[in-house]
Amino acid sequence: MAFFKSVAAISRLRSRVGQQSTLANSVRWLQTQTSNNTDLFSELKEIVPEHQERVKKLKKEYGNAELGKITADMVLGGMRGMTALLWLGSAVDPDEGIRFRGMTIPDCQKTLPGAFPGGEPLPEAVLWLLLTGKIPSKEQVDSLAQELRSRATIPDYAYKAIDALPVSAHAMTQFTTGVMALQVQSEFQKAYEGGIAKARYWEPTYEDSLNLIARLPSIAAYIYRRKYKDGKIIPMDDSLDYGANYAHMLGFDDPEMLEFMRLYISIHSDHEGGNVSSHTAHLVASPLSDPYLAFAAALNGLAGPLHGLANQEVLRWIRSIVAEFGTPDISTEQLSDYIHKTLNSGQVVPGYGHGVLRKTDPRYTCQREFALKHLPNDPLFQLVSKIKEVVPPILTKLGKVKNPWPNVDAHSGVLLNYYGLTEESYYTVLFGVSRSIGVGPQLIWDRALGLALERPKSVTLEKLEALCGKSS
């Protein structure tokens, strides 16, 4: 059962686009990829034909190249580690962590435009980077921010669809409902029914994706205010950027919270294509379902406890520690006892471990650096720091965990809690808004490159047993 063994083909492809193995060189390559277009669609229209030719060349010259082999563990383990998806925006290295178009998170923080010099990357800058592979100028980012604001009008029936649900409904249920209501305005659906040429599928997909990205903060903020703040809605502020506007509509105007929201959205935007939410969007879009349908499905995957719901589980677990001892100021011995108590009860330590990473998640690290800068004396932050000291040695000693280090979810809840967003059942909605900035660009490229309907081969248990017997 060989599955694409020859990595030489991919190496040749990488050399063609000039990506180098070192971080400095990858950033240098990106810095040379600039343009004067302030309109994102015009920029994309210039680079789509080149990528289409690259895919044609790959199919023609390397269609039979092998990239590895499939094992029974992969089949039984949720296809983990199986190279089977094309994803342009980002890649996760087990040792280095996430790279957005070749750039690490620290690179993005240093290179991408912020709201002010030295500030965190603007989500609009991350969107431009993920879609084009180029580092945008501040002028391009400002232009995109204005375009997103112009697309952010929400039809009344979307709010009415949400209002039809009880206020007690989980925030993610309300969020998915709002996205499905927006689907009524799908440009892709209209274009497809009108007979658009396949080569132009990406154009209405672009319209849908940007409209969706633009409208999500208003929908998400409406749900927050409806569920937790007696329905008192805060309108959009046309002077604010994407992340700051979202925080503002939620009801937060502390400049530090606005800056954290920019960072939060940026680092949660993309995490290659194999995670549940990203893969679900790609899968559902592969039979030409429009971006609204695809993203609503992605949100339903994100709502699972083993994916996006993990961040609320972390804060609840941390609060349970405080409740147990009556204070967050506890000794490492007390914390160690509580961690063993958690593990002995058959539970996991939330926020630790990762399906791909084998080191501390860089998304955890940048949030820790933010906390060290802005809230070093916060008791819950100090507890999070102590947890990082105590948990990895315990998990390592157990010998059953491949990655005992903290992931992105181990930190975000404490920061949100510090700035006043204490409703942890809403946290996955924040994740969902962020993930649109990674999923949207990929759906556009799926259409531009004509990627096929996803249809992996399944086997019965009897067939798998027979295949394993044959291979042995």
Side-chain angles (χ1 to χ4, degrees):
M1 293 180 69
F3 181 70
F4 298 130
K5 256 183 196 167
S6 136
V7 290
I10 296 301
S11 297
R12 285 192 288 272
L13 173 63
R14 286 177 176 167
S15 66
R16 179 179 182 275
V17 297
Q19 290 179 320
Q20 304 297 322
S21 59
T22 66
L23 172 60
N25 284 339
S26 73
V27 175
R28 193 177 304 122
W29 175 76
L30 279 166
Q31 288 173 336
T32 65
Q33 302 298 300
T34 59
S35 76
N36 295 320
N37 283 325
T38 56
D39 177 62
L40 183 56
F41 181 81
S42 299
E43 177 66 30
L44 192 59
K45 200 163 187 177
E46 287 185 10
I47 62 178
V48 162
E50 177 196 350
H51 284 71
Q52 290 173 331
E53 288 303 313
R54 287 170 62 186
V55 169
K56 289 179 183 178
K57 181 180 176 68
L58 271 176
K59 287 182 177 180
K60 181 178 180 180
E61 298 184 11
Y62 305 113
N64 293 321
E66 298 178 352
L67 301 179
K69 67 178 182 180
I70 296 173
T71 66
D73 278 343
M74 290 176 173
V75 174
L76 296 170
M79 299 190 290
R80 192 173 300 274
M82 191 181 295
T83 302
L85 286 172
L86 178 63
W87 197 265
L88 274 66
S90 65
V92 180
D93 182 90
D95 298 313
E96 290 187 341
I98 184 70
R99 283 178 178 264
F100 298 108
R101 290 285 192 158
M103 297 177 65
T104 64
I105 288 176
D107 290 329
C108 291
Q109 290 176 298
K110 293 174 184 176
T111 310
L112 295 180
F116 49 84
E120 300 295 346
L122 287 164
E124 295 93 331
V126 176
L127 174 57
W128 189 291
L129 173 67
L130 292 176
L131 190 49
T132 69
K134 300 178 182 181
I135 297 174
S137 66
K138 185 62 163 64
E139 183 183 13
Q140 289 169 324
V141 171
D142 290 344
S143 175
L144 178 55
Q146 177 57 45
E147 180 179 356
L148 291 175
R149 285 193 293 268
S150 72
R151 292 172 176 264
T153 302
I154 309 295
D156 287 341
Y157 55 78
Y159 292 128
K160 290 178 181 178
I162 296 169
D163 289 340
L165 295 170
V167 174
S168 61
H170 194 284
M172 282 296 281
T173 302
Q174 298 186 48
F175 194 32
T176 306
T177 299
V179 171
M180 286 299 295
L182 293 175
Q183 190 274 341
V184 175
Q185 295 186 344
S186 172
E187 296 297 329
F188 180 82
Q189 182 183 20
K190 295 174 189 174
Y192 186 82
E193 291 175 351
I196 188 173
K198 184 177 181 180
R200 295 183 57 209
Y201 282 175
W202 71 268
E203 296 178 17
T205 302
Y206 173 93
E207 296 299 322
D208 278 355
S209 296
L210 258 68
N211 285 339
L212 178 61
I213 291 168
R215 294 167 185 171
L216 287 178
S218 295
I219 289 289
Y222 180 84
I223 292 165
Y224 178 79
R225 302 297 300 182
R226 174 179 188 256
K227 186 171 177 65
Y228 307 107
K229 302 298 178 182
D230 298 323
K232 297 176 182 177
I233 307 305
I234 300 173
M236 175 181 287
D237 183 339
D238 284 339
S239 70
L240 295 176
D241 57 82
Y242 189 87
N245 230 326
Y246 184 22
H248 165 72
M249 289 187 289
L250 290 172
F252 304 97
D253 289 306
D254 182 336
E256 285 186 15
M257 177 56 164
L258 304 190
E259 187 70 344
F260 178 62
M261 189 63 73
R262 296 176 185 118
L263 175 64
Y264 181 98
I265 293 174
S266 294
I267 64 175
H268 286 80
S269 60
D270 209 30
H271 211 239
E272 72 173 29
N275 65 78
V276 170
S277 54
S278 297
H279 183 198
T280 299
H282 169 81
L283 169 65
V284 174
S286 72
L288 300 184
S289 295
D290 64 63
Y292 295 94
L293 297 173
F295 189 67
L299 289 176
N300 287 324
L302 189 69
L306 298 183
H307 191 16
L309 217 64
N311 52 5
Q312 77 175 39
E313 299 296 322
V314 171
L315 186 59
R316 288 176 178 174
W317 181 71
I318 291 173
R319 285 175 172 163
S320 74
I321 296 175
V322 177
E324 175 85 5
F325 297 100
T327 175
D329 185 18
I330 61 175
S331 68
T332 55
E333 290 76 15
Q334 289 173 310
L335 180 57
S336 178
D337 289 343
Y338 192 85
I339 291 166
H340 280 102
K341 176 183 175 181
T342 298
L343 295 171
N344 291 336
S345 69
Q347 302 176 59
V348 299
V349 177
Y352 280 75
H354 193 273
V356 177
L357 290 172
R358 296 297 174 260
K359 62 170 286 185
T360 298
D361 192 334
R363 298 172 299 173
Y364 172 96
T365 302
C366 72
Q367 291 181 94
R368 174 172 172 76
E369 291 170 350
F370 187 95
L372 285 169
K373 180 179 179 181
H374 296 289
L375 48 136
N377 299 318
D378 176 62
L380 287 186
F381 167 60
Q382 293 179 342
L383 179 56
V384 165
S385 299
K386 194 172 292 183
I387 292 170
K388 185 181 183 294
E389 295 176 13
V390 175
V391 168
I394 292 175
L395 295 181
T396 300
K397 189 175 181 180
L398 290 175
K400 298 180 180 179
V401 181
K402 293 181 179 179
N403 174 20
W405 308 108
N407 59 47
V408 64
D409 298 314
H411 215 308
S412 56
V414 166
L415 282 160
L416 292 166
N417 183 80
Y418 176 82
Y419 289 113
L421 210 169
T422 59
E423 300 86 0
E424 70 270 8
S425 63
Y426 182 79
Y427 290 175
T428 313
V429 177
L430 297 170
F431 200 156
V433 172
S434 309
R435 187 46 52 93
S436 70
I437 289 178
V439 165
Q442 184 60 40
L443 295 181
I444 295 166
W445 278 109
D446 286 351
R447 297 284 195 265
L449 300 178
L451 297 189
L453 170 70
E454 187 173 318
R455 181 60 170 87
K457 174 64 178 173
S458 64
V459 292
T460 64
L461 181 58
E462 292 77 11
K463 180 65 173 179
L464 182 59
E465 289 172 334
L467 289 169
C468 291
K470 187 181 296 183
S471 64
S472 63

